[in-house]
Amino acid sequence: MKYTSFLIKYGEIGVKGKNRYLFENALIQQIKYALKRCEGEFKVHKAEGRIYVDVLSDFDYDETIENLRSVFGISGICPMTFAEDEGYDKLREFVADYAKKVYGDAPEGTTFKVYARRSNKRYPLDSMELNAGLGEVILDTVPALKVDVHNPDITLYVEVREKIYVYSEIIPGPGGMPVGTGGKAMLLLSGGIDSPVAGYMIAKRGVKIDAVYFHAPPYTSERAKQKVIDLAKQVSKYAGPIYLHVINFTDIQLAIYEKCPQDELTIIMRRYMMRIAETIAKQTGCLGLITGESIGQVASQTLASLAVTNEVCTLPVFRPCIGMDKLEIVDISQKIDTYETSILPYEDCCTIFVAKHPVTKPSLEVIARHEHNLDEVIDDLMKTALETKETIVVSQE
Ligand code: ATP
Ligand code: MG
């Protein structure tokens, strides 16, 4: 079948009242971003309160569907054909042709119904008459099919509008909200499995993502940094272009290593990561931080540790993996194609400066006291880290 258009269904955003057009425009923008990676020429447009993707050239069907399925806000994708309204006889021919091409090989006894909608009220037949008349045409064209109006295998939608649209398949989209409708947040992106998943999940709710990565050369390699860029790129398939800030964290880590107790290294380091991330977040209009933390996964993610880490932030910290088991997180990372990159073995800074027996029940008071060991140097180190940050725009384009 040569489809000429896709009807885009959007569940949740359909109900947003007066702001609906903002949501639709964001969705259109994200659809255009996704289609740039596809071969072919497309026109994305709104007509009569719906969004259509018209195909203007040769195109790769599977590639187009795959990329549309990465657009948050889409609940369903309906491949369809359309024709000018040239009278009922032509419509019958059009529907017969569609049925033959799409269901010509359907097994004997496959059931169907026609679901016609007539929003052009001047059309000479009403919906009931269209259902009956076009059903008959289909039975004549593909004798293997049978009518079942209650529980059909196939529903053939025929919409009589300015033009006539026919479709019978609704391919599920990812759901969620279009990116850009929910503000912006700063993702702490490491090279691990969890943080790309966390970014994906928050982007799914319509939030635009910026990211920060703490790099510790020469303890962490260029390849470790490239891995994070690759992960950001994969997340940008869903989240749109990402500003990735790379912070040189080496001197801060060395200072902590030198001046603070071994078993508190990780937690103190995490607190400085959060402080720096929050500073950049506030400078760039982000309204929250995002991490891949999950309760109990490691010593720095016990409730007590999370509380001590959290204490340095005033922005809300979103932790969408917080209640998930590792296997559940792995599942999502495989689905969004970050897993294979995440498990590449390059060291990250936490694995190098980690203590053998990190505290699992840190006391805020004790940690804060030990951080005072850094008083003489930390302001300058933080300032330098922020001033020397490298910002990379990562996108699929
Ligand atoms: P991940 O798989 O996301 O790396 P993890 O299990 O390795 O998680 P930690 O290393 O303790 O957990 O880090 C917890 C969270 O802190 C990460 O999910 C990430 O959001 C953030 N984080 C850790 N290291 C870095 C880093 N080098 N740069 C940026 N963020 C980091
Ligand atoms: Mg990690």
Side-chain angles (χ1 to χ4, degrees):
M1 180 73 202
K2 201 163 176 342
Y3 293 106
T4 48
S5 190
F6 297 92
L7 166 65
I8 303 298
K9 301 215 173 220
Y10 40 96
E12 202 167 339
I13 73 169
V15 300
K16 293 288 172 185
K18 266 197 293 192
N19 287 331
R20 181 176 163 140
Y21 78 98
L22 292 174
F23 286 77
E24 287 171 339
N25 291 350
L27 184 57
I28 288 174
Q29 200 187 334
Q30 290 306 119
I31 292 172
K32 286 181 177 166
Y33 172 75
L35 290 173
K36 276 192 199 156
R37 333 189 250 276
C38 300
E39 228 171 280
E41 211 186 314
F42 303 91
K43 181 178 163 204
V44 187
H45 64 107
K46 234 179 346 184
E48 302 165 78
R50 314 180 77 165
I51 292 173
Y52 297 97
V53 175
D54 291 345
V55 182
L56 306 177
S57 68
D58 282 345
F59 76 115
D60 180 331
Y61 177 84
D62 292 333
E63 178 191 58
T64 305
I65 294 291
E66 190 213 310
N67 282 290
L68 286 174
R69 293 189 73 182
S70 70
V71 179
F72 295 135
I74 294 184
S75 63
I77 303 154
C78 312
M80 60 178 198
T81 57
F82 63 86
E84 298 301 324
D85 175 9
E86 294 172 324
Y88 183 54
D89 284 343
K90 277 273 188 241
L91 174 59
R92 286 164 57 95
E93 274 173 38
F94 184 58
V95 168
D97 187 52
Y98 180 95
K100 195 156 63 192
K101 283 188 180 140
V102 181
Y103 297 109
D105 296 331
E108 188 67 39
T110 304
T111 57
F112 81 100
K113 77 170 178 188
V114 175
Y115 184 84
R117 264 187 293 185
R118 184 187 61 146
S119 48
N120 171 6
K121 298 293 175 207
R122 292 188 311 265
Y123 202 80
L125 281 77
D126 67 19
S127 305
M128 296 299 275
E129 290 165 329
L130 284 168
N131 287 343
L134 296 173
E136 230 167 81
V137 168
I138 292 171
L139 287 172
D140 288 345
T141 316
V142 187
L145 296 181
K146 255 179 30 197
V147 173
D148 179 348
V149 291
H150 299 296
N151 192 18
D153 301 321
I154 300 162
T155 301
L156 199 113
Y157 297 87
V158 178
E159 305 200 349
V160 178
R161 296 165 175 261
E162 289 292 299
K163 294 186 169 105
I164 291 173
Y165 300 88
V166 178
Y167 62 95
S168 57
E169 199 187 350
I170 304 177
I171 299 162
M177 312 281 269
V179 169
T181 56
K184 190 166 70 164
M186 180 67 71
L187 169 66
L188 284 86
L189 182 61
S190 68
I193 294 171
D194 311 325
S195 46
V197 169
Y200 167 89
M201 289 177 71
I202 297 298
K204 184 170 178 187
R205 297 306 303 162
V207 176
K208 192 169 157 27
I209 303 288
D210 281 354
V212 55
Y213 165 59
F214 296 91
H215 189 38
Y219 304 97
T220 53
S221 64
E222 274 307 297
R223 288 202 298 184
K225 176 176 154 190
Q226 186 58 45
K227 177 180 165 183
V228 173
I229 296 172
D230 293 345
L231 286 171
K233 180 157 187 198
Q234 187 54 22
V235 174
S236 81
K237 179 174 173 188
Y238 309 93
I242 293 175
Y243 282 77
L244 172 64
H245 305 284
V246 180
I247 292 283
N248 186 326
F249 202 49
T250 313
D251 290 344
I252 293 177
Q253 266 192 317
L254 288 173
I256 299 171
Y257 193 67
E258 207 178 293
K259 296 182 192 293
C260 300
Q262 288 295 307
D263 60 344
E264 292 169 7
L265 291 182
T266 307
I267 197 93
I268 293 177
M269 186 187 77
R270 304 269 313 118
R271 280 162 60 93
Y272 281 103
M273 283 186 182
M274 298 300 264
R275 288 179 172 113
I276 291 173
E278 178 166 277
T279 304
I280 307 172
K282 287 181 174 169
Q283 286 166 354
T284 54
C286 292
L287 300 176
L289 303 177
I290 306 165
T291 76
E293 289 160 311
S294 157
I295 294 172
Q297 201 185 75
V298 285
S300 60
Q301 296 175 31
T302 62
L303 283 191
S305 297
L306 288 166
V308 172
T309 309
N310 205 76
E311 192 265 344
V312 300
C313 300
T314 55
L315 287 178
V317 182
F318 306 123
R319 302 176 170 92
C321 302
I322 199 72
M324 290 161 77
D325 292 346
K326 194 75 187 184
L327 283 179
E328 294 174 287
I329 303 172
V330 163
D331 241 24
I332 299 177
S333 75
Q334 285 172 332
K335 201 182 79 189
I336 67 173
D337 254 348
T338 51
Y339 182 73
E340 294 300 328
T341 307
S342 289
I343 60 172
L344 294 173
Y346 317 124
E347 305 275 291
D348 83 9
C349 51
C350 319
T351 43
I352 292 163
F353 290 91
V354 81
K356 283 212 177 59
H357 301 288
V359 279
T360 52
K361 285 196 199 117
S363 130
L364 181 55
E365 196 204 317
V366 174
I367 296 285
R369 178 150 30 90
H370 289 148
E371 275 181 0
H372 281 303
N373 298 351
L374 300 165
D375 280 353
E376 274 178 28
V377 292
I378 197 68
D379 287 350
D380 281 347
L381 291 178
M382 293 265 282
K383 193 160 161 267
T384 306
L386 284 163
E387 280 170 2
T388 58
K389 80 172 186 311
E390 178 195 4
T391 301
I392 305 169
V393 185
V394 183
S395 88
Q396 294 272 326
E397 284 168 34

